Amino acid sequence: MVETQLRQRGIRDERILSAMSRVPRHEFVAEPYRSRAYDDNPLPIAEGQTISQPYIVAVMLELLDLAPNQTVLEIGTGSGYQTALLAELSQHVYSVERHGRLASEAEAVLQKLAYQNVTVIVGDGSKGLPEHAPFDAIVVAAAAPELPQALFEQLKEGGRLVLPVGPAESQALQVVTKQQGTPVIVEQTPCRFVPLIGEQGYPA
Ligand code: SAH
């Protein structure tokens, strides 16, 4: 997976490549999909959601550009796979998931793998996590209709927010940097994520 899907497609950050070779992706998918855990595509998880394709996770991690002493907020825990990678690359991860079942299953796997720098919270992540803000970086694993203002507000000056924006058929990854309190947006690659459902997302 790391060689053919990531390195050969241009993922260069050795910290990310090494984290992705360490984290056991098969632990984050259910039994029927285990043999396909390292395939080059997303896979179904509970509640009609998906575990993201390895390549798109790597792209998002590169865009986030985390340092080991940073605190990151993740919206959309899902299986917990990306959460584990964020835990490898940062000091602490707060991860918010709207489905209680996904949050508790992800938490169980993360505990089994002995991650101690992760806090999983059930709730509407489109509003962020004001009680733990500000964050060095924020990553959203579900597509928003537009930049959720609450998330931008909870970003530190100079911090980076990576998120897919757009309707089901046409989304693009955006990197939003906070520069002198204002958002500087750079649009990256087209992508396809499940919708962000919530107050600053799409209606349920
Ligand atoms: N990175 C995850 C991707 C999960 S899919 C993985 O690789 O497993 C996106 C997740 O976002 C879904 O689990 C969905 O339930 C969750 N989600 C959607 N809207 C949300 C919201 N407003 N707050 C928190 N989680 C949300």
Side-chain angles (χ1 to χ4, degrees), residues 36-93:
R36 288 151 59 189
Y38 297 89
D39 286 5
D40 190 16
N41 45 250
L43 290 169
I45 56 173
E47 305 286 5
Q49 307 299 315
T50 53
I51 175 174
S52 307
Q53 179 193 15
Y55 175 70
I56 198 81
V57 175
V59 168
M60 291 182 94
L61 293 173
E62 273 207 333
L63 294 172
L64 270 181
D65 198 18
L66 291 169
N69 63 348
Q70 292 187 327
T71 298
V72 53
L73 172 65
E74 175 186 49
I75 309 303
T77 317
S79 67
Y81 174 64
Q82 178 173 267
T83 320
L85 290 161
L86 293 168
E88 296 269 346
L89 297 167
S90 70
Q91 187 161 76
H92 198 93
V93 187

Side-chain angles (χ1 to χ4, degrees), residues 92-161:
H92 198 93
V93 187
Y94 292 95
S95 185
V96 186
E97 170 55 53
R98 67 185 283 267
H99 287 293
R101 174 178 170 195
L102 288 174
S104 57
E105 288 179 1
E107 210 169 13
V109 181
L110 292 163
Q111 258 174 28
K112 177 180 163 191
L113 298 175
Y115 287 103
Q116 306 205 319
N117 56 340
V118 175
T119 310
V120 179
I121 293 152
V122 179
D124 175 8
S126 74
K127 298 186 287 189
L129 211 53
E131 59 273 38
H132 294 290
F135 302 96
D136 295 295
I138 301 178
V139 59
V140 186
E146 56 189 12
L147 173 62
Q149 198 52 39
L151 296 185
F152 182 71
E153 279 163 14
Q154 293 170 33
L155 200 58
K156 278 187 194 167
E157 175 64 25
R160 295 157 82 80
L161 165 52

